[in-house]
Amino acid sequence: MNKIHQISAEHLSIEQIGEIIKNGTKLELSEDARQRIIRCREYLDNKIKESETPIYGVTTGFGSLCKISIDKDSLSQLQKNLVMSHACGVGDRVPNEIVKIMLLLKIQSLSYGYSACQLKTVERLIDFFNNDIYPIVYMQGSLGASGDLVPLAHLSLPLIGMGEVEYKGEIFSGSDILKKMKWEVIELVSKEGLALLNGTQNMNAFAVWALADLFKRYKNERKQDVTLWVLMIVGTPILGVLLYFNTIYRRKRQFSLRHLNSLEQD
C-alpha cells in the first residue's frame, strides 16, 4: 500500500523529495494547506471587487500592456492566454522523473497560500502526480526571467485541456486525458496563470534530482570517487560543498577535508 504525504506549510528537504519519488508516495493536502489556499483565493476575489485601482497582471495586461485594464468577463481568458502564449518549448522532453518532481514542487509552492490559486487547481495537480500523469515539458525555451515560464506553461497546459501528457507509456492530448480520467477542464480565474507560470520548479527539479543522485552515490560508492566528481564539477568553491555534506552526514559519515588529503596520499 502506498504511503501518503500530507502537503503542509513545512518546507520539503531534498531527502524528503527523494523518498517521495522513490517510494511512489501519494500526496494529499493537509487541512491547514486547504484553508491557506481558500483564504488567499477569497482575499484576492474581495480585493478585486473592492479596489478601484488596477492590479497588475490581475485586472491589467502584462508587460507593455500594463496600462490596459481588463474587464471582469475577460479575466479568465487573460490567464488562459498567458499560459498558451508561453507554451513554446522545443528540443528533447524533460524526463518523467524530473517532471514528477516539478509537479511536487509546484504543488508545495501553491499550497503555502500566497498564490491565489483555486483549491481545485492544486488538487488537479495532485491528481496528475498521484496517477503518474506526466505533462510533456521540453528542455529548451525558458529564459529564467520571472521563473521557468516556458516549462511551467507546458506543465500547466493539461489543466485546461491542452498540451500533451504521458500516461502508462502512451501519449494523450490534454483534452483526451481529462476525458479518460473523467475530469473537468479547469477554468482559470484571475491571477492563476501568473501563479502557475511564475516559479523555479523546473530548474529546482533538475537541481534536486542531481543532488539526490549525488547523495545516493555517496552512500553506495567510494567516497573518494564522489569527492573527485565534486571537484571536477564545482572546482574552487569546494569548501561550501564540503560543509554542506558535513551537515547532512555528520552523524554517519564524515565528509571533510581529510578525504581530500587521503586522495593526495593515494
Side-chain angles (χ1 to χ4, degrees), residues 133-148:
I133 295 173
Y134 306 105
I136 304 299
V137 181
Y138 298 97
M139 295 285 283
Q140 298 176 12
S142 186
L143 297 175
S146 300
D148 300 317

Side-chain angles (χ1 to χ4, degrees), residues 14-19 21 97 101 205-220 245 249:
I14 293 173
E15 290 82 2
Q16 283 178 300
I17 295 171
E19 288 300 311
I21 301 300
E97 185 177 6
I101 299 173
F206 274 96
V208 167
W209 179 86
L211 283 171
D213 182 66
L214 181 60
F215 294 163
K216 181 175 68 176
R217 290 173 183 273
Y218 180 72
K219 290 179 180 178
N220 298 335
F245 271 78
Y249 294 106

Side-chain angles (χ1 to χ4, degrees), residues 139-186:
M139 295 285 283
Q140 298 176 12
S142 186
L143 297 175
S146 300
D148 300 317
L149 303 181
V150 172
L152 291 177
H154 284 284
L155 191 79
S156 304
L157 279 178
L159 293 170
I160 57 177
M162 303 185 76
E164 294 181 316
V165 303
E166 181 178 328
Y167 176 58
K168 294 185 176 179
E170 296 184 46
I171 303 298
F172 294 86
S173 69
S175 59
D176 285 345
I177 196 64
L178 295 183
K179 291 175 185 175
K180 183 176 181 63
M181 304 302 288
K182 295 182 170 56
W183 294 336
E184 294 182 358
V185 172
I186 297 293

Side-chain angles (χ1 to χ4, degrees), residues 49-260:
K49 290 177 184 178
E50 298 168 359
S51 178
E52 297 181 1
T53 304
I55 305 172
Y56 174 74
V58 178
T59 59
T60 75
F62 308 102
S64 61
L65 301 177
C66 63
K67 295 183 179 180
I68 304 298
S69 293
I70 310 298
D71 63 84
K72 292 184 179 180
D73 293 336
S74 302
L75 295 182
S76 176
Q77 188 63 46
L78 175 69
Q79 300 302 314
K80 183 177 179 180
N81 290 348
L82 180 68
V83 175
M84 291 190 297
S85 67
H86 283 75
C88 54
V90 296
D92 296 333
R93 284 176 50 186
V94 174
N96 288 342
E97 185 177 6
I98 294 177
V99 172
K100 190 155 190 175
I101 299 173
M102 288 175 66
L103 285 168
L104 173 57
L105 295 178
K106 176 53 75 175
I107 291 164
Q108 180 68 41
S109 176
L110 298 177
S111 297
Y112 291 128
Y114 301 116
S115 303
C117 267
Q118 299 175 98
L119 178 62
K120 64 181 179 181
T121 302
V122 183
E123 289 178 331
R124 180 55 48 76
L125 290 172
I126 291 176
D127 289 336
F128 287 165
F129 185 94
N130 288 344
N131 288 278
D132 292 330
I133 295 173
Y134 306 105
I136 304 299
V137 181
Y138 298 97
M139 295 285 283
Q140 298 176 12
S142 186
L143 297 175
S146 300
D148 300 317
L149 303 181
V150 172
L152 291 177
H154 284 284
L155 191 79
S156 304
L157 279 178
L159 293 170
I160 57 177
M162 303 185 76
E164 294 181 316
V165 303
E166 181 178 328
Y167 176 58
K168 294 185 176 179
E170 296 184 46
I171 303 298
F172 294 86
S173 69
S175 59
D176 285 345
I177 196 64
L178 295 183
K179 291 175 185 175
K180 183 176 181 63
M181 304 302 288
K182 295 182 170 56
W183 294 336
E184 294 182 358
V185 172
I186 297 293
E187 295 293 335
L188 299 180
V189 295
S190 57
K191 195 185 176 296
E192 274 200 294
L194 279 175
L196 290 167
L197 268 58
N198 281 2
T200 55
Q201 287 78 36
N202 179 62
M203 61 181 81
N204 283 346
F206 274 96
V208 167
W209 179 86
L211 283 171
D213 182 66
L214 181 60
F215 294 163
K216 181 175 68 176
R217 290 173 183 273
Y218 180 72
K219 290 179 180 178
N220 298 335
E221 300 178 8
R222 293 176 66 234
K223 288 174 288 202
Q224 290 90 339
D225 293 340
V226 177
T227 304
L228 280 173
W229 184 85
V230 172
L231 277 170
M232 287 187 293
I233 297 298
V234 181
T236 305
I238 190 65
L239 183 58
V241 177
L242 292 174
L243 291 173
Y244 185 62
F245 271 78
N246 265 325
T247 302
I248 296 172
Y249 294 106
R250 61 181 178 273
R251 293 184 181 176
K252 293 183 179 180
R253 301 186 182 198
Q254 288 297 315
F255 186 21
S256 63
L257 290 171
R258 67 172 176 270
H259 294 136
L260 298 179

